[in-house]
Amino acid sequence: MLDYSHNAWLVAASLAVALMAGFTGLYLTHGASKLDNQRRKFIVALAAVVLGGGIWSMHFVAMLGLQLPILFYYDALITLISALVAILMVGLALLLLHFRPRTMRTIVGAGVIVGLGIVVMHYVGMAGMQLCRPVYNALDVVIAAMASVVLSVLAIWVAYDNRTQRNILLGTVCFGLAVFTMHFVATGLTDFVASENAGGAGPALNNQVLAMGVTVSVFLICGAFLLTGITFIGPEAEVAPVPSAPDPIPGPQVTLPRAGIPFEREGQTFFSAPGKIAAIRAEGHYTILYMGAEKLFCPWSITEAEARLKPDGFLRAHRSYLVNPKHVSSFERHKDNGTCYFDGIDALTKVPVSRSRLADIRDALGL
Protein backbone atom coordinates (compact mmCIF):
# COMPACT_ATOMS: atom_id res chain seq x y z
CA MET A 1 0.00 0.00 0.00
CA LEU A 2 1.25 3.46 -0.93
CA ASP A 3 1.25 6.40 1.46
CA TYR A 4 -0.49 9.47 0.11
CA SER A 5 -1.42 13.01 1.09
CA HIS A 6 -3.30 15.97 -0.39
CA ASN A 7 -2.30 19.47 -1.38
CA ALA A 8 -4.41 21.71 0.91
CA TRP A 9 -4.73 24.49 -1.67
CA LEU A 10 -6.12 22.14 -4.31
CA VAL A 11 -8.50 20.61 -1.76
CA ALA A 12 -9.89 24.09 -1.06
CA ALA A 13 -10.02 24.83 -4.80
CA SER A 14 -12.00 21.63 -5.41
CA LEU A 15 -14.65 22.73 -2.89
CA ALA A 16 -14.83 26.17 -4.52
CA VAL A 17 -15.36 24.57 -7.93
CA ALA A 18 -18.19 22.38 -6.58
CA LEU A 19 -19.91 25.38 -5.00
CA MET A 20 -19.61 27.56 -8.13
CA ALA A 21 -20.92 24.77 -10.37
CA GLY A 22 -23.77 24.05 -7.96
CA PHE A 23 -24.88 27.68 -7.79
CA THR A 24 -24.63 28.18 -11.56
CA GLY A 25 -26.55 25.01 -12.44
CA LEU A 26 -29.29 25.49 -9.85
CA TYR A 27 -29.81 29.16 -10.67
CA LEU A 28 -29.80 28.58 -14.45
CA THR A 29 -32.99 26.54 -14.08
CA HIS A 30 -34.66 29.20 -11.91
CA GLY A 31 -37.82 30.23 -13.77
CA ALA A 32 -37.47 27.47 -16.39
CA SER A 33 -41.04 26.34 -15.67
CA LYS A 34 -42.43 29.43 -17.40
CA LEU A 35 -40.55 28.71 -20.64
CA ASP A 36 -41.86 26.73 -23.59
CA ASN A 37 -40.67 23.14 -23.98
CA GLN A 38 -37.84 23.84 -26.42
CA ARG A 39 -36.26 26.63 -24.39
CA ARG A 40 -36.77 24.64 -21.19
CA LYS A 41 -34.93 21.66 -22.72
CA PHE A 42 -32.05 23.94 -23.71
CA ILE A 43 -31.79 25.40 -20.18
CA VAL A 44 -31.93 21.91 -18.64
CA ALA A 45 -29.21 20.67 -21.00
CA LEU A 46 -27.01 23.67 -20.20
CA ALA A 47 -27.50 23.22 -16.44
CA ALA A 48 -26.71 19.50 -16.77
CA VAL A 49 -23.40 20.31 -18.49
CA VAL A 50 -22.52 22.84 -15.78
CA LEU A 51 -23.48 20.60 -12.84
CA GLY A 52 -22.06 17.40 -14.35
CA GLY A 53 -18.95 19.22 -15.53
CA GLY A 54 -18.60 20.71 -12.06
CA ILE A 55 -18.72 17.24 -10.47
CA TRP A 56 -16.02 16.05 -12.89
CA SER A 57 -13.88 19.18 -12.43
CA MET A 58 -14.10 19.00 -8.64
CA HIS A 59 -12.99 15.35 -8.74
CA PHE A 60 -9.96 15.96 -10.91
CA VAL A 61 -8.92 19.18 -9.17
CA ALA A 62 -8.82 17.08 -5.99
CA MET A 63 -7.00 14.27 -7.82
CA LEU A 64 -4.39 16.75 -9.04
CA GLY A 65 -3.80 17.46 -5.35
CA LEU A 66 -3.35 13.73 -4.60
CA GLN A 67 0.34 13.22 -3.78
CA LEU A 68 1.68 9.68 -4.24
CA PRO A 69 5.30 8.48 -4.08
CA ILE A 70 5.13 7.19 -7.69
CA LEU A 71 4.28 8.67 -11.06
CA PHE A 72 0.88 7.80 -12.49
CA TYR A 73 -1.37 8.96 -15.28
CA TYR A 74 -4.92 8.54 -16.57
CA ASP A 75 -6.57 6.80 -19.48
CA ALA A 76 -8.09 9.58 -21.65
CA LEU A 77 -11.11 7.55 -22.81
CA ILE A 78 -12.15 6.45 -19.31
CA THR A 79 -11.64 10.01 -18.06
CA LEU A 80 -13.95 11.29 -20.80
CA ILE A 81 -16.54 8.63 -20.00
CA SER A 82 -16.54 9.69 -16.35
CA ALA A 83 -17.43 13.26 -17.37
CA LEU A 84 -20.22 12.14 -19.72
CA VAL A 85 -21.71 9.85 -17.06
CA ALA A 86 -21.96 12.76 -14.61
CA ILE A 87 -23.58 15.05 -17.20
CA LEU A 88 -26.11 12.43 -18.34
CA MET A 89 -27.20 11.42 -14.83
CA VAL A 90 -27.58 15.03 -13.67
CA GLY A 91 -29.48 15.74 -16.90
CA LEU A 92 -31.89 12.90 -16.14
CA ALA A 93 -32.51 14.33 -12.67
CA LEU A 94 -33.20 17.80 -14.08
CA LEU A 95 -35.58 16.39 -16.70
CA LEU A 96 -37.61 14.80 -13.90
CA LEU A 97 -37.69 18.06 -11.97
CA HIS A 98 -38.72 20.24 -14.92
CA PHE A 99 -40.91 17.95 -17.03
CA ARG A 100 -42.78 16.00 -14.34
CA PRO A 101 -45.06 17.21 -11.53
CA ARG A 102 -42.72 18.42 -8.79
CA THR A 103 -43.88 16.21 -5.94
CA MET A 104 -41.77 15.08 -2.98
CA ARG A 105 -41.37 11.73 -4.69
CA THR A 106 -39.94 13.43 -7.79
CA ILE A 107 -37.59 15.58 -5.71
CA VAL A 108 -36.27 12.58 -3.77
CA GLY A 109 -35.88 10.55 -6.97
CA ALA A 110 -33.94 13.36 -8.63
CA GLY A 111 -31.71 13.71 -5.58
CA VAL A 112 -30.96 9.98 -5.57
CA ILE A 113 -30.03 10.11 -9.26
CA VAL A 114 -27.68 13.07 -8.70
CA GLY A 115 -26.10 11.32 -5.70
CA LEU A 116 -25.53 8.12 -7.64
CA GLY A 117 -24.20 10.16 -10.57
CA ILE A 118 -21.53 11.64 -8.28
CA VAL A 119 -20.58 8.16 -7.05
CA VAL A 120 -20.44 6.58 -10.52
CA MET A 121 -18.39 9.49 -11.88
CA HIS A 122 -15.91 9.13 -9.01
CA TYR A 123 -15.29 5.43 -9.36
CA VAL A 124 -15.20 5.50 -13.17
CA GLY A 125 -12.67 8.33 -12.93
CA MET A 126 -10.57 6.33 -10.45
CA ALA A 127 -10.69 3.32 -12.77
CA GLY A 128 -8.80 5.38 -15.34
CA MET A 129 -5.65 5.54 -13.19
CA GLN A 130 -2.63 3.86 -14.79
CA LEU A 131 0.55 2.57 -13.05
CA CYS A 132 -1.39 2.98 -9.80
CA ARG A 133 -4.45 0.94 -8.87
CA PRO A 134 -7.12 2.06 -6.35
CA VAL A 135 -8.19 -0.69 -3.92
CA TYR A 136 -11.58 -0.65 -2.17
CA ASN A 137 -14.40 -3.05 -1.33
CA ALA A 138 -18.19 -3.05 -1.70
CA LEU A 139 -18.75 -1.66 1.82
CA ASP A 140 -16.52 1.32 1.01
CA VAL A 141 -18.64 2.08 -2.07
CA VAL A 142 -21.89 1.76 -0.09
CA ILE A 143 -20.68 4.18 2.61
CA ALA A 144 -19.57 6.75 0.02
CA ALA A 145 -22.83 6.31 -1.92
CA MET A 146 -24.95 6.85 1.21
CA ALA A 147 -23.13 10.10 2.02
CA SER A 148 -23.55 11.31 -1.56
CA VAL A 149 -27.22 10.37 -1.90
CA VAL A 150 -28.30 11.85 1.45
CA LEU A 151 -26.61 15.19 0.78
CA SER A 152 -27.80 15.28 -2.85
CA VAL A 153 -31.43 14.64 -1.86
CA LEU A 154 -31.09 17.41 0.72
CA ALA A 155 -29.64 19.75 -1.92
CA ILE A 156 -32.44 19.10 -4.44
CA TRP A 157 -35.14 19.32 -1.77
CA VAL A 158 -33.85 22.63 -0.42
CA ALA A 159 -33.31 24.15 -3.89
CA TYR A 160 -36.61 23.00 -5.42
CA ASP A 161 -39.07 22.98 -2.53
CA ASN A 162 -39.36 26.75 -2.83
CA ARG A 163 -37.48 28.47 -5.67
CA THR A 164 -36.34 31.52 -3.74
CA GLN A 165 -32.83 32.98 -3.75
CA ARG A 166 -32.31 31.78 -0.18
CA ASN A 167 -33.24 28.22 -1.14
CA ILE A 168 -30.92 28.28 -4.14
CA LEU A 169 -28.02 29.42 -1.94
CA LEU A 170 -28.71 26.73 0.65
CA GLY A 171 -29.10 24.14 -2.11
CA THR A 172 -25.75 25.26 -3.52
CA VAL A 173 -24.03 24.64 -0.19
CA CYS A 174 -25.63 21.19 0.09
CA PHE A 175 -24.67 20.28 -3.50
CA GLY A 176 -21.08 21.43 -3.03
CA LEU A 177 -20.80 19.46 0.21
CA ALA A 178 -22.34 16.39 -1.46
CA VAL A 179 -19.67 16.32 -4.18
CA PHE A 180 -16.82 17.30 -1.85
CA THR A 181 -17.78 14.94 0.98
CA MET A 182 -18.38 11.97 -1.30
CA HIS A 183 -14.99 12.39 -2.98
CA PHE A 184 -12.95 12.57 0.21
CA VAL A 185 -14.98 9.91 2.04
CA ALA A 186 -14.43 7.57 -0.91
CA THR A 187 -10.75 8.52 -1.22
CA GLY A 188 -10.25 8.05 2.52
CA LEU A 189 -11.66 4.53 2.22
CA THR A 190 -9.41 3.75 -0.77
CA ASP A 191 -5.89 2.36 -0.74
CA PHE A 192 -3.47 2.74 -3.64
CA VAL A 193 -0.99 0.15 -4.89
CA ALA A 194 1.59 0.34 -7.62
CA SER A 195 0.69 -1.53 -10.80
CA GLU A 196 2.79 -2.48 -13.79
CA ASN A 197 -0.29 -2.75 -15.99
CA ALA A 198 -0.08 0.32 -18.21
CA GLY A 199 -2.53 -0.85 -20.84
CA GLY A 200 -5.45 1.53 -21.37
CA ALA A 201 -8.45 1.94 -23.64
CA GLY A 202 -7.30 5.34 -24.88
CA PRO A 203 -4.32 7.71 -24.96
CA ALA A 204 -2.48 8.48 -21.75
CA LEU A 205 -3.00 11.70 -19.81
CA ASN A 206 -0.32 12.75 -17.36
CA ASN A 207 -1.03 15.27 -14.62
CA GLN A 208 0.31 18.17 -16.69
CA VAL A 209 -2.04 17.48 -19.62
CA LEU A 210 -4.95 16.76 -17.29
CA ALA A 211 -4.29 20.02 -15.45
CA MET A 212 -4.67 21.96 -18.70
CA GLY A 213 -8.04 20.35 -19.42
CA VAL A 214 -9.27 20.85 -15.87
CA THR A 215 -8.12 24.47 -15.95
CA VAL A 216 -10.20 25.16 -19.06
CA SER A 217 -13.23 23.46 -17.49
CA VAL A 218 -12.86 25.43 -14.25
CA PHE A 219 -12.40 28.67 -16.22
CA LEU A 220 -15.71 28.08 -18.03
CA ILE A 221 -17.46 27.28 -14.75
CA CYS A 222 -16.08 30.46 -13.17
CA GLY A 223 -17.27 32.53 -16.13
CA ALA A 224 -20.76 31.03 -15.97
CA PHE A 225 -20.76 31.59 -12.20
CA LEU A 226 -19.95 35.28 -12.62
CA LEU A 227 -22.65 35.77 -15.27
CA THR A 228 -25.37 34.07 -13.24
CA GLY A 229 -24.17 35.78 -10.06
CA ILE A 230 -24.74 39.19 -11.61
CA THR A 231 -28.35 38.35 -12.47
CA PHE A 232 -28.80 36.76 -9.03
CA ILE A 233 -27.89 39.89 -7.09
CA GLY A 234 -29.35 42.35 -9.62
CA PRO A 235 -33.11 41.84 -8.96
CA GLU A 236 -32.62 42.12 -5.21
CA ALA A 237 -31.30 45.65 -5.59
CA GLU A 238 -34.47 46.58 -7.44
CA VAL A 239 -36.99 44.75 -5.31
CA ALA A 240 -35.72 45.66 -1.85
CA PRO A 241 -36.59 49.37 -1.88
CA VAL A 242 -40.00 48.96 -3.50
CA PRO A 243 -42.63 50.20 -1.02
CA SER A 244 -46.05 48.72 -0.56
CA ALA A 245 -48.23 49.27 -3.59
CA PRO A 246 -50.51 52.28 -3.19
CA ASP A 247 -54.23 52.02 -3.49
CA PRO A 248 -55.23 51.74 -7.15
CA ILE A 249 -56.04 55.01 -8.88
CA PRO A 250 -59.68 55.16 -9.97
CA GLY A 251 -59.95 54.36 -13.64
CA PRO A 252 -61.31 51.78 -16.04
CA GLN A 253 -62.34 48.60 -14.23
CA VAL A 254 -60.00 45.65 -14.87
CA THR A 255 -62.11 42.53 -15.23
CA LEU A 256 -61.20 38.89 -14.82
CA PRO A 257 -61.08 36.91 -18.07
CA ARG A 258 -64.13 34.71 -18.49
CA ALA A 259 -61.91 31.60 -18.53
CA GLY A 260 -60.56 32.28 -15.02
CA ILE A 261 -57.03 32.70 -13.63
CA PRO A 262 -54.40 31.37 -16.06
CA PHE A 263 -51.66 29.01 -14.88
CA GLU A 264 -49.14 26.76 -16.60
CA ARG A 265 -48.51 23.07 -16.09
CA GLU A 266 -46.22 20.88 -18.21
CA GLY A 267 -46.03 23.42 -21.01
CA GLN A 268 -49.81 23.99 -21.27
CA THR A 269 -51.96 26.87 -20.04
CA PHE A 270 -55.01 26.08 -17.90
CA PHE A 271 -57.53 28.26 -16.05
CA SER A 272 -58.83 28.10 -12.49
CA ALA A 273 -61.88 29.60 -10.84
CA PRO A 274 -60.81 32.31 -8.34
CA GLY A 275 -62.60 30.56 -5.48
CA LYS A 276 -60.22 27.59 -5.67
CA ILE A 277 -57.13 29.73 -5.10
CA ALA A 278 -56.11 30.24 -1.45
CA ALA A 279 -53.27 32.72 -1.97
CA ILE A 280 -51.01 34.27 -4.60
CA ARG A 281 -47.31 35.06 -4.14
CA ALA A 282 -45.16 37.42 -6.21
CA GLU A 283 -42.31 35.76 -8.15
CA GLY A 284 -40.45 38.57 -9.93
CA HIS A 285 -42.68 39.84 -12.71
CA TYR A 286 -44.96 36.80 -12.34
CA THR A 287 -46.86 35.05 -9.55
CA ILE A 288 -47.35 31.62 -7.95
CA LEU A 289 -50.87 30.35 -7.23
CA TYR A 290 -51.48 28.14 -4.18
CA MET A 291 -54.30 25.65 -4.65
CA GLY A 292 -54.46 22.56 -2.44
CA ALA A 293 -51.13 20.77 -2.63
CA GLU A 294 -50.04 22.56 -5.81
CA LYS A 295 -47.88 25.61 -6.52
CA LEU A 296 -48.76 26.87 -10.01
CA PHE A 297 -47.02 29.43 -12.20
CA CYS A 298 -49.24 32.36 -13.31
CA PRO A 299 -48.14 34.89 -15.98
CA TRP A 300 -49.82 37.80 -14.15
CA SER A 301 -47.81 40.18 -12.00
CA ILE A 302 -48.91 40.66 -8.40
CA THR A 303 -50.25 44.12 -9.27
CA GLU A 304 -52.33 42.81 -12.16
CA ALA A 305 -53.63 39.93 -10.04
CA GLU A 306 -54.66 42.35 -7.28
CA ALA A 307 -56.56 44.56 -9.74
CA ARG A 308 -58.32 41.68 -11.49
CA LEU A 309 -59.21 39.71 -8.35
CA LYS A 310 -60.36 42.52 -6.09
CA PRO A 311 -64.04 41.90 -7.02
CA ASP A 312 -63.57 38.26 -5.93
CA GLY A 313 -62.49 39.31 -2.43
CA PHE A 314 -58.72 38.88 -2.74
CA LEU A 315 -56.76 41.26 -0.53
CA ARG A 316 -53.10 42.26 -0.38
CA ALA A 317 -51.80 40.89 2.93
CA HIS A 318 -48.17 41.73 2.22
CA ARG A 319 -46.30 43.34 -0.66
CA SER A 320 -45.59 39.81 -1.95
CA TYR A 321 -48.90 38.09 -1.11
CA LEU A 322 -52.60 38.19 -1.98
CA VAL A 323 -54.95 36.07 0.13
CA ASN A 324 -58.47 34.76 -0.39
CA PRO A 325 -60.16 35.31 3.00
CA LYS A 326 -62.53 32.40 2.28
CA HIS A 327 -59.62 29.97 2.68
CA VAL A 328 -58.17 31.47 5.88
CA SER A 329 -58.73 29.00 8.72
CA SER A 330 -57.21 31.06 11.55
CA PHE A 331 -55.55 34.39 12.21
CA GLU A 332 -52.86 35.34 14.71
CA ARG A 333 -52.25 38.93 15.76
CA HIS A 334 -48.68 39.90 16.66
CA LYS A 335 -47.40 43.18 18.03
CA ASP A 336 -47.74 45.22 14.85
CA ASN A 337 -48.50 42.62 12.17
CA GLY A 338 -50.17 39.25 11.85
CA THR A 339 -50.31 35.82 10.20
CA CYS A 340 -53.06 34.11 8.22
CA TYR A 341 -53.14 30.30 8.46
CA PHE A 342 -54.61 27.83 5.98
CA ASP A 343 -55.92 24.29 6.53
CA GLY A 344 -55.91 21.87 3.62
CA ILE A 345 -53.49 23.99 1.58
CA ASP A 346 -50.40 21.75 1.76
CA ALA A 347 -48.36 24.02 -0.51
CA LEU A 348 -48.78 27.02 1.82
CA THR A 349 -49.64 26.84 5.51
CA LYS A 350 -49.39 30.52 6.42
CA VAL A 351 -49.00 34.03 4.95
CA PRO A 352 -47.55 37.07 6.76
CA VAL A 353 -49.71 40.16 7.14
CA SER A 354 -47.83 43.46 7.13
CA ARG A 355 -48.72 46.31 9.47
CA SER A 356 -50.12 48.48 6.67
CA ARG A 357 -52.48 45.67 5.56
CA LEU A 358 -53.53 44.48 9.00
CA ALA A 359 -56.72 46.54 9.27
CA ASP A 360 -58.04 45.44 5.84
CA ILE A 361 -57.39 41.76 6.58
CA ARG A 362 -58.98 41.91 10.02
CA ASP A 363 -62.00 43.68 8.57
CA ALA A 364 -62.37 41.05 5.81
CA LEU A 365 -62.19 38.29 8.43
CA GLY A 366 -64.81 40.04 10.62
CA LEU A 367 -62.38 40.73 13.47
Side-chain angles (χ1 to χ4, degrees):
M1 300 297 176
L2 301 172
D3 292 329
Y4 64 89
S5 61
H6 289 91
N7 182 300
W9 289 106
L10 288 175
V11 169
S14 69
L15 176 59
V17 169
L19 290 171
M20 286 190 293
F23 171 81
T24 305
L26 292 175
Y27 190 61
L28 271 176
T29 57
H30 181 60
S33 300
K34 55 195 169 195
L35 302 176
D36 58 68
N37 280 351
Q38 291 303 317
R39 289 195 293 170
R40 197 187 315 176
K41 288 176 183 177
F42 174 77
I43 290 296
V44 165
L46 191 60
V49 171
V50 172
L51 288 172
I55 294 169
W56 181 87
S57 298
M58 179 274 151
H59 172 86
F60 280 101
V61 168
M63 290 303 290
L64 287 172
L66 180 67
Q67 299 171 336
L68 288 166
I70 63 171
L71 293 175
F72 62 96
Y73 57 89
Y74 298 90
D75 181 275
L77 180 59
I78 296 177
T79 301
L80 175 62
I81 291 172
S82 67
L84 298 179
V85 165
I87 292 171
L88 288 174
M89 293 193 72
V90 171
L92 176 59
L94 292 177
L95 286 173
L96 288 177
L97 289 168
H98 292 278
F99 288 90
R100 300 289 298 171
R102 199 172 295 162
T103 61
M104 182 54 67
R105 183 176 179 181
T106 303
I107 289 175
V108 171
V112 170
I113 293 172
V114 171
L116 293 178
I118 297 171
V119 174
V120 173
M121 184 273 128
H122 175 88
Y123 284 104
V124 171
M126 296 282 275
M129 296 181 71
Q130 304 293 316
L131 300 181
C132 179
R133 180 169 59 89
V135 178
Y136 48 85
N137 57 40
L139 180 60
D140 298 333
V141 177
V142 170
I143 293 173
M146 288 180 61
S148 177
V149 167
V150 169
L151 286 171
S152 296
V153 170
L154 179 62
I156 297 299
W157 176 69
V158 170
Y160 278 89
D161 179 59
N162 192 6
R163 300 289 278 160
T164 63
Q165 292 187 341
R166 177 175 176 271
N167 285 68
I168 291 173
L169 289 176
L170 291 175
T172 295
V173 173
C174 293
F175 176 84
L177 290 178
V179 182
F180 183 82
T181 301
M182 184 274 144
H183 176 89
F184 286 101
V185 167
T187 302
L189 295 172
T190 300
D191 293 313
F192 297 93
V193 297
S195 172
E196 296 182 358
N197 180 17
L205 289 175
N206 58 31
N207 274 0
Q208 288 74 23
V209 176
L210 180 65
M212 292 176 64
V214 171
T215 300
V216 172
S217 175
V218 172
F219 172 78
L220 295 175
I221 289 173
C222 288
F225 169 75
L226 291 175
L227 291 175
T228 52
I230 289 296
T231 59
F232 180 82
I233 62 177
E236 284 299 299
E238 296 178 19
V239 173
V242 174
S244 300
D247 293 333
I249 300 173
Q253 181 68 34
V254 180
T255 59
L256 182 69
R258 185 172 299 178
I261 305 175
F263 65 88
E264 295 183 9
R265 180 192 288 139
E266 298 182 3
Q268 298 184 52
T269 300
F270 300 88
F271 298 90
S272 172
K276 295 181 179 181
I277 306 298
I280 300 175
R281 176 174 61 83
E283 182 78 10
H285 298 295
Y286 306 95
T287 48
I288 300 297
L289 310 180
Y290 291 91
M291 181 170 61
E294 293 187 289
K295 296 191 293 186
L296 305 165
F297 170 78
C298 175
W300 289 351
S301 68
I302 192 71
T303 303
E304 181 180 4
E306 180 181 21
R308 289 185 180 275
L309 296 174
K310 189 172 183 180
D312 294 282
F314 281 76
L315 293 174
R316 185 79 76 103
H318 183 272
R319 68 184 179 89
S320 298
Y321 286 94
L322 293 176
V323 297
N324 186 346
K326 297 176 183 177
H327 286 268
V328 176
S329 58
S330 61
F331 175 81
E332 182 179 4
R333 171 71 185 270
H334 307 300
K335 184 177 180 180
D336 58 355
N337 53 29
T339 303
C340 289
Y341 293 90
F342 301 90
D343 286 339
I345 310 299
D346 297 337
L348 184 72
T349 58
K350 60 184 180 180
V351 164
V353 180
S354 62
R355 179 173 57 183
S356 61
R357 308 289 178 176
L358 191 60
D360 291 340
I361 295 296
R362 287 173 56 84
D363 183 61
L365 296 175
L367 300 175

